[in-house]
Amino acid sequence: MAERRFTKDHEWIELNGAIATVGITNYAQEQLGDVVFVDLPPAGKKITKGGEAAVVESVKAASEVYSPVTGEVVESNADLAKNPALANTAAEAGGWFVKIKVADPKELSALMDAAAYKKFVDGLH
Amino acid sequence: MRYLPLGPDDRAKMLGVIGAKSVDELFKDIPAKARVSGLLDLPMHAGELQVERTLGAMAAKNRAAGAGPSFLGAGSYRHHIPSAVDHLIQRSEFLTSYTPYQPEVAQGTLQFLFEFQTAVAMLSGMEVANASMYEGGSSCAEAVLMAGRVTGRSKAILSGSLHPHYRDTVRTFCQFSPVTVEYGEPNVDGNEDLASKLGPDVACVVVQTPDFFGNLHDYTKLGAACHAAGALLVVVVTEVVSLGALKSPGQMGADIFAGEGQSLGVGLNFGGPYVGLFATKKQYLRQMPGRLCGQSVDADGRRSYVLTLSTREQHIRREKATSNICTNSGLCALAFGIHVSLLGEEGIRRLAKLNHAAAVQLADQLGGVKGVKVLNKTFFNEFTVQLPGSATEIVEKMVGQGVLVGVPVQRLYRDRPEVANLLLVAASETNTDADRAAYVAGLKKVLA
Amino acid sequence: MKTDTFSGNRGLDLEEPLLFELGRPGVTGVDMPDAPKVASKLGGLEREGSIGLAGVSEPEVIRHFVRMSRNNYSIDANLYPLGSCTMKHNPRLNEKMARLPGFGDVHPLQPESTVQGALELIHVLGHWLKTITGMPAVAMPPAAGAHGELCGMMAIRAAHDAKGDKHRTRVLIPESAHGTNPATAAQCGFSVDPIPGNSHGRVDLAAVKAKLGPDVAGIMLTNPNTLGLFENEVIEVANAIHSVGGYFYADGANFNAIVGKAKPGDMGVDAIHINLHKTFSTPHGGGGPGSGPVCFSQALAPYAPLPMIVERQGRFHLIEHRGSAGEPGEKSFGRMRTFNGQMGMFVRALSYMMSHGADGLRQVAEDAVLSANYIMASCKDDMTSPFPGPCMHEALFDDRFLEGTGVTTLDFAKAMIDEGYHPMTVYFPLVVHGAMLTEPTETESKESVDRFIHVLKSLAKKAKSGDAQFFKDAPRYAPRRRVDETAAARNPVLRWTPPAPKAQAAE
Ligand SMILES: Cc1ncc(COP(=O)(O)O)c(C=O)c1O
């Protein structure tokens, strides 16, 4: 199984071949509270590392989801669009946001692994 | 001072608890240079009776529209407001409450907003309406900005028969935005080809019906052309009573409806406060400006209402908000809602018929005056007449006859000498046969 | 659904369906004669199909709205401590004055000769506002505070543009600012550069200076600020922004604290909006209407919006179009609404100002500030404040006193509802954790404020005693328990729609 990487903005990314799946972390969904809406990019949209990939909204907050890598959107999660609660109940599984065709897989290696991310999150309290 | 409950002993005790020697200690953060020493150069406090005398004297210098026959429109219309409206909006619980941020103690406001949204959506034939904007012109401007966001395009085309003040408001709102505004010549006869102006950069076409000059339009074809070209159709209605008689913007395929609700429940008020109406299609919901009230349930499962989709708004989205609007026109929305409730389906249709009939009768009578020509082929309760001389001067002379005869088109189109003789005339259910007779008799005298 | 009565009512608390659920065809609440027969000029554009409006009689309409009204909290019923909103007493004299036919029943486009009193009223109100703020000019059209911000920022943009300064695109805004400030700046095409606060809850002057540059258009500063504190370095901020050619926009939403005590004109302000619906007591009406006149410095005055009023030899004139060179309105940034302004609010505000006069207005600020400080001092052993006093007319608390109790600011707010109080403004400003911004205003008696303090202190003690569930379950005694905002947002129902015809019973 491919390894997961994490960003300081609380996105996770998992690379399978040339395609990466991106979502928000469990910690992020807890901070947001009940997710009520997600705005996902259309397939074919080019996105850059650190650029806005999607928007996730709770009742009282709206946050950008930044792309951890540069590439092109190949798919958005239609189930999530229909049922935004998936971002709460299955943030790091069925609640993924987008699949991206990655331009440079090496970009991932700069990101945190699970252990480093856990340490990062623990440090936020 | 009758509005201030604290007495000298209270103040002394409170200062004691705070541990301050004088109230001025509490103001010590204000730089000395900016402090007022002593009192402002303004009159001292006054009792009710004195204030009533002073303001009453100012009010008496104005001619109230209802003090005699009045036929003014051009975006603000005089209608009879049922007594229940003013009684109900003055209830403390409506008048003196704030924006319903705590839904558990604001269901009264929230329910009326939900009903207001429903009534506006029904009248305009649109899917969803918001909980009000300031007034019609700024509502129209917000519609144009929204069309820019929805389409990602940057040009707005305004009809030459859009109310000139709406046009100007749109230009002001857009002048520092990515949206550029193009508008037509004053379009008195209602014939203009807007579809030919469509192109890949056009975000929206903004039209009005009844238009500024009173002409009626079916924009169905224009809407289809807009959609084919990827643009939105924005339909403006400044006389909302017309929707009791005329095909609605929604029925014409409008993407956004922007209107003025002043005609129902609100009154003339020398121009404000009024109530801006705003409605659109469901698919554009998240690009809408303004507050929205939605239905939900409380912890006991009882139907309840609450402000919703607030992530569009400034208090959450800040510089990325769909609009900067915060305070809107809540109490005027309530007045509108109560008036619509009293009218109901049957009432609004009857009111619209009465208005139309009043205007047709007046147009027929004015058309019979020598030198006066009614220009409209179609109209609802307002039309344009051509006079044999300057409309501004004739209006002024007719004040002497006790009749407010209409709005000179020149007043809104200052730099257009060709409209100098045109007068906008509106009639409503408030006008009597005697009013019309006074109009015609006075006009004959003035033109003689 | 939980109801403990057969009717769903609870004593005086009467349930009320939507009006649309009450309607029947053929019923109306307005009687009108039949329209005379005329030859239609509608050109075949008659509306087809039913609009869908409900038919109800007048008594039903009265009951409908009266019942609904009883579910609302109001300043007429009790103290309304919403910080930044200035929920003060709304004198009924003002309502009476606004309804004089000479003000309420005047058309905005009547000939000037027939509206001299209306123009005079606006002119006189403008004079009061200029005197109170110490500013030389005023623009009356804005419909609310945010509309006033737009007015001020457009004037700033127009002033820069007139000098050919098109590169000034950045506006400095403290992080504690109200959301309308950044939203307005963005609407005028500016980018927003946030300024952090300092440890005293004021804007960090060093940070302001560090952000200055030739591309800065101006600063938007709220004073007194949204933390309820006066920006004591306001003059230094003004000098700094002016030193790079920028303008100073002041958000005057909190003007109630300093009316009659200090003048923005003496602080280097170039534009300031005054919310007549806050400081000058025009009623909030469940969210509006408001009115937000903007006072201008000499530098920005030429760019003020249309229409404007000028007085010549005792006659008042309405300038409705851009003038030619040298005439008023020559450089105006344009029209920002259809008609003149919020006349109904102008009458109410002037009625209030005249009632108070120079002496009363000063007392307003003193009593408002005194009451807020009294709350802050009285609660200091039970609640926590992020910044030491004295405060202005708002006492700000944070949620440190709730730490470890399991009770949140929201829970605390909902428990206040059961005690008969509308909560203070919560979670604003965003820069203070669990903020509770409390504004009693000057129109509360000491006895009323004491009762309120008693509730705050008692609830704080109760929270610390460990009964979190008590707070989670609140409110219990309001017309509604907690409303599910998540459900409302996930599946928006924004209007009533007729129920689908009932399906036949299943076979
Ligand atoms: C600090 C501050 N600025 C601006 C505004 C906006 O004023 P308005 O709601 O009148 O548009 C408010 C209103 O709540 C405010 O509190």
Side-chain angles (χ1 to χ4, degrees):
Chain A
M1 201 185 102
E3 200 202 347
R4 281 206 178 183
R5 295 276 172 168
F6 300 86
T7 71
K8 287 192 171 155
D9 298 317
H10 309 288
E11 290 97 14
W12 59 266
I13 179 165
E14 184 180 306
L15 191 65
N16 290 293
I19 307 294
T21 307
V22 175
I24 62 170
T25 65
N26 223 1
Y27 174 82
Q29 70 81 15
E30 272 170 16
Q31 292 299 305
L32 269 169
D34 291 342
V35 171
V36 298
F37 178 71
V38 290
D39 189 11
L40 301 173
K45 187 168 174 193
K46 302 242 191 315
I47 47 183
T48 51
K49 181 179 158 73
E52 184 182 314
V55 178
V56 55
E57 295 185 8
S58 66
V59 170
K60 301 279 183 224
S63 315
E64 282 79 31
V65 177
Y66 300 104
S67 179
V69 289
T70 297
E72 184 182 320
V73 176
V74 291
E75 188 188 348
S76 298
N77 188 350
D79 290 342
L80 179 67
K82 258 186 253 131
N83 178 16
L86 276 179
N88 295 118
T89 55
E92 301 193 15
W96 60 274
F97 278 59
V98 285
K99 290 190 197 285
I100 299 170
K101 191 164 154 213
V102 179
D104 176 10
K106 282 202 292 293
E107 278 183 351
L108 269 83
S109 47
L111 303 173
M112 290 177 276
D113 63 13
Y117 179 67
K118 183 172 182 307
K119 233 172 111 194
F120 170 69
V121 167
D122 289 346
L124 294 177
H125 293 289
Chain B
M1 278 167 225
R2 60 190 182 278
Y3 306 142
L4 299 178
L6 294 183
D9 292 352
D10 296 325
R11 294 188 184 112
K13 279 188 204 142
M14 291 162 84
L15 280 173
V17 170
I18 296 165
K21 282 197 202 63
S22 75
V23 74
D24 276 330
E25 250 179 64
L26 305 177
F27 290 87
K28 69 177 189 324
D29 287 329
I30 303 180
K33 179 177 174 256
R35 273 183 237 156
V36 176
S37 58
L39 294 173
L40 296 167
D41 184 17
L42 290 167
M44 295 295 119
H45 70 276
E48 278 211 12
L49 187 57
Q50 291 156 280
V51 175
E52 278 188 35
R53 275 194 194 125
T54 310
L55 294 181
M58 277 188 217
K61 290 180 197 166
N62 303 315
R63 184 200 135 150
S70 171
F71 299 90
L72 272 55
S76 174
Y77 302 88
R78 187 163 190 278
H79 292 286
H80 178 257
I81 301 173
S83 317
V85 174
D86 201 37
H87 168 76
L88 286 169
I89 68 166
Q90 286 201 71
R91 276 189 71 87
S92 295
E93 299 87 339
F94 288 134
L95 185 73
T96 77
S97 61
Y98 199 72
T99 305
Y101 289 137
Q102 299 287 344
E104 298 85 357
V105 286
Q107 286 298 305
T109 297
L110 287 160
Q111 188 172 339
F112 89 60
L113 290 178
F114 189 80
E115 293 181 352
F116 172 80
Q117 289 172 189
T118 305
V120 172
M122 285 175 169
L123 283 164
S124 62
M126 305 296 291
E127 288 172 343
V128 284
N130 75 9
S132 83
M133 306 299 285
Y134 301 135
E135 46 88 52
S138 53
S139 185
C140 178
E142 292 272 12
V144 171
L145 291 173
M146 173 173 150
R149 290 192 298 274
V150 167
T151 59
R153 297 176 176 191
S154 62
K155 198 200 279 180
I157 294 179
L158 314 187
S159 157
S161 59
L162 178 67
H163 193 299
H165 288 174
Y166 282 52
R167 177 201 66 200
D168 288 348
T169 305
V170 170
R171 286 168 63 196
T172 301
F173 269 65
C174 291
Q175 64 186 329
F176 305 123
S177 84
V179 179
T180 57
V181 180
E182 261 184 43
Y183 53 95
E185 299 285 297
N187 177 30
V188 183
D189 59 10
N191 292 324
E192 74 191 317
D193 179 11
L194 292 166
S196 68
K197 305 209 164 111
L198 286 163
D201 55 342
V202 174
C204 64
V205 175
V206 184
V207 292
Q208 179 179 331
T209 184
D211 72 20
F212 177 67
F213 299 97
N215 304 302
L216 308 183
H217 301 266
D218 187 345
Y219 292 116
T220 308
K221 275 201 190 122
L222 179 64
C226 285
H227 298 150
L232 304 192
L233 178 70
V234 178
V235 177
V236 169
V237 175
T238 62
E239 167 53 301
V240 68
V241 172
S242 70
L243 291 172
L246 293 170
K247 191 167 174 176
S248 70
Q251 290 170 319
M252 299 176 192
D255 298 288
I256 305 177
F257 156 72
E260 175 54 72
Q262 166 274 336
S263 284
L264 294 177
V266 179
L268 297 174
N269 294 321
F270 198 48
Y274 286 178
V275 52
L277 311 179
F278 195 102
T280 186
K281 292 177 172 164
K282 239 184 177 157
Q283 68 196 96
Y284 304 131
L285 187 56
R286 288 183 185 269
Q287 292 298 341
M288 250 178 138
R291 293 185 188 128
L292 287 164
C293 170
Q295 184 181 309
S296 188
V297 290
D298 77 349
D300 286 344
R302 302 211 291 172
R303 181 167 68 176
S304 310
Y305 304 92
V306 63
L307 291 180
T308 192
L309 302 180
S310 308
T311 46
R312 300 165 298 110
E313 291 181 69
Q314 45 73 29
H315 60 282
I316 293 177
R317 203 54 142 253
R318 300 177 75 86
E319 64 267 30
K320 290 188 180 157
T322 55
S323 164
N324 72 339
I325 192 168
C326 179
T327 290
N328 57 18
S329 212
L331 200 72
C332 300
L334 175 64
F336 178 98
I338 297 168
H339 195 169
V340 171
S341 302
L342 285 163
L343 287 168
E345 180 90 18
E346 214 180 275
I348 188 93
R349 289 192 176 272
R350 188 173 272 262
L351 179 63
K353 274 202 189 106
L354 278 169
N355 272 264
H356 186 53
V360 171
Q361 288 179 323
L362 181 63
D364 287 347
Q365 286 172 265
L366 291 180
V369 177
K370 193 162 158 262
V372 177
K373 191 173 158 205
V374 176
L375 298 184
N376 299 57
K377 291 197 187 67
T378 58
F379 60 85
F380 171 62
N381 68 352
E382 183 167 24
F383 50 87
T384 308
V385 297
Q386 186 165 12
L387 298 171
S390 152
T392 308
E393 284 166 23
I394 291 168
V395 162
E396 209 49 67
K397 284 185 193 148
M398 286 295 288
V399 170
Q401 302 293 318
V403 186
L404 299 175
V405 287
V407 177
V409 174
Q410 186 88 83
R411 177 149 177 193
L412 293 99
Y413 278 110
R414 188 195 47 180
D415 300 324
R416 295 283 181 169
E418 72 269 26
V419 301
N421 293 0
L422 301 186
L423 182 71
L424 283 181
V425 183
S428 83
E429 79 286 358
T430 62
N431 299 124
T432 61
D433 289 340
D435 288 352
R436 281 184 286 270
Y439 192 157
V440 171
L443 192 59
K444 280 183 179 154
K445 218 191 266 170
V446 163
L447 294 183
Chain C
M1 179 164 113
K2 209 163 92 189
T3 43
D4 35 23
T5 57
F6 299 111
S7 59
N9 301 330
R10 286 172 180 164
L12 288 179
D13 177 4
L14 302 172
E15 277 300 292
E16 182 62 13
L18 290 166
L19 194 96
F20 301 94
E21 295 162 339
L22 295 170
R24 287 96 56 212
V27 180
T28 181
V30 183
D31 286 325
M32 285 170 275
D34 287 333
K37 279 244 167 329
V38 293
S40 169
K41 291 284 186 185
L42 297 182
L45 286 173
E46 285 81 358
R47 185 164 187 153
E48 282 164 19
S50 137
I51 299 168
L53 296 173
V56 286
S57 62
E58 179 179 297
E60 291 170 284
V61 170
I62 297 274
R63 275 199 188 147
H64 178 70
F65 287 98
V66 167
R67 287 175 182 171
M68 273 158 57
S69 75
R70 296 165 62 115
N71 293 330
N72 268 5
Y73 194 92
S74 66
I75 182 67
D76 278 355
N78 204 3
L79 184 152
Y80 210 137
L82 272 177
S84 210
C85 304
T86 312
M87 293 299 286
K88 59 168 72 175
H89 171 62
N90 301 140
R92 288 314 191 273
L93 169 66
N94 307 350
E95 296 303 309
K96 185 175 172 187
M97 293 300 96
R99 284 168 173 79
L100 292 173
F103 294 134
D105 190 27
V106 178
H107 191 283
L109 295 173
Q110 277 182 217
E112 244 172 43
S113 60
T114 68
V115 294
Q116 284 297 306
L119 297 176
E120 179 184 352
L121 182 128
I122 301 174
H123 186 78
V124 171
L125 176 62
H127 172 73
W128 279 71
L129 289 170
K130 287 188 286 185
T131 307
I132 290 168
T133 57
M135 308 276 289
V138 64
M140 301 303 288
H147 206 213
E149 292 172 34
L150 199 62
C151 173
M153 295 309 286
M154 288 214 167
I156 288 176
R157 183 95 197 229
H160 286 311
D161 282 3
K163 287 185 247 166
D165 263 0
K166 305 250 180 203
H167 56 279
R168 291 188 183 266
T169 53
R170 192 157 52 95
V171 171
L172 311 184
I173 301 181
E175 284 170 350
S176 59
H178 193 258
T180 49
N181 291 188
T184 301
Q187 205 157 327
C188 296
F190 293 119
S191 68
V192 174
D193 198 350
I195 308 284
N198 64 22
S199 58
H200 314 291
R202 271 74 173 191
V203 66
D204 186 336
L205 182 61
V208 171
K209 287 184 174 162
K211 298 246 183 192
L212 293 177
D215 62 329
V216 167
I219 189 168
M220 296 182 86
L221 186 68
T222 308
N223 200 15
N225 69 21
T226 62
L227 303 155
L229 303 169
F230 193 87
E231 294 283 355
N232 54 324
E233 292 180 309
V234 58
I235 293 176
E236 288 80 357
V237 170
N239 289 341
I241 204 79
H242 289 152
S243 74
V244 295
Y247 293 104
F248 178 3
Y249 185 89
D251 179 329
N254 293 332
F255 193 64
N256 202 49
I258 58 169
V259 57
K261 296 290 287 182
K263 292 184 189 170
D266 295 335
M267 302 173 198
V269 167
D270 292 298
I272 178 170
H273 79 256
I274 303 293
N275 308 59
L276 298 186
H277 46 300
K278 297 183 180 186
T279 307
F280 298 111
S281 90
T282 74
H284 274 94
S291 179
V294 175
C295 295
F296 281 120
S297 66
Q298 217 73 56
L300 292 183
Y303 306 97
L306 299 168
M308 44 182 77
I309 292 170
V310 294
E311 186 190 3
R312 292 189 196 112
Q313 288 112 38
R315 300 288 291 172
F316 296 97
H317 304 279
L318 202 52
I319 307 294
E320 298 180 290
H321 301 273
R322 280 204 185 90
S324 29
E327 282 175 27
E330 175 201 353
K331 295 184 181 160
S332 167
F333 71 72
R335 179 180 288 272
M336 58 187 310
R337 61 177 298 154
T338 313
F339 296 118
N340 312 328
Q342 303 287 75
M343 184 68 178
M345 304 294 115
F346 297 160
V347 180
R348 289 171 176 88
L350 186 58
S351 169
Y352 172 85
M353 289 178 180
M354 287 178 159
S355 294
H356 270 306
D359 47 343
L361 288 174
R362 183 186 174 95
Q363 194 67 53
V364 161
E366 291 184 356
D367 286 358
V369 170
L370 180 65
S371 281
N373 277 284
Y374 180 61
I375 290 175
M376 184 111 125
S378 303
C379 295
K380 70 172 185 300
D381 295 336
D382 299 290
M383 298 169 74
T384 43
S385 287
F387 307 104
C391 60
M392 289 272 95
H393 67 323
E394 296 157 315
L396 176 63
F397 301 103
D398 58 23
D399 62 0
R400 280 175 302 155
F401 75 98
L402 294 173
E403 212 171 292
T405 63
V407 177
T408 64
T409 289
L410 185 72
D411 300 331
F412 192 88
K414 300 299 183 193
M416 287 174 67
I417 291 177
D418 279 339
E419 297 291 339
Y421 286 97
H422 195 285
M424 59 286 266
T425 294
V426 289
Y427 300 108
F428 175 80
L430 307 172
V431 293
V432 169
H433 204 272
M436 305 181 189
L437 188 62
T438 312
E439 180 178 357
T441 84
E442 74 282 3
T443 60
E444 295 302 324
S445 66
K446 177 168 178 297
E447 182 262 350
S448 165
V449 176
D450 281 337
R451 261 186 290 137
F452 178 67
I453 290 169
H454 172 66
V455 164
L456 290 183
K457 289 166 73 85
S458 307
L459 286 176
K461 288 197 181 88
K462 184 153 183 109
K464 288 174 200 168
S465 78
D467 194 354
Q469 199 54 43
F470 171 85
F471 289 85
K472 300 284 172 207
D473 290 343
R476 295 170 194 75
Y477 308 127
R480 283 293 182 272
R481 304 288 305 281
R482 280 196 211 189
V483 178
D484 188 345
E485 300 188 33
T486 302
R490 279 190 180 154
N491 176 28
V493 177
L494 304 173
R495 61 176 287 187
W496 177 82
T497 37
K502 281 225 170 60
Q504 295 296 305
E507 358 265 82

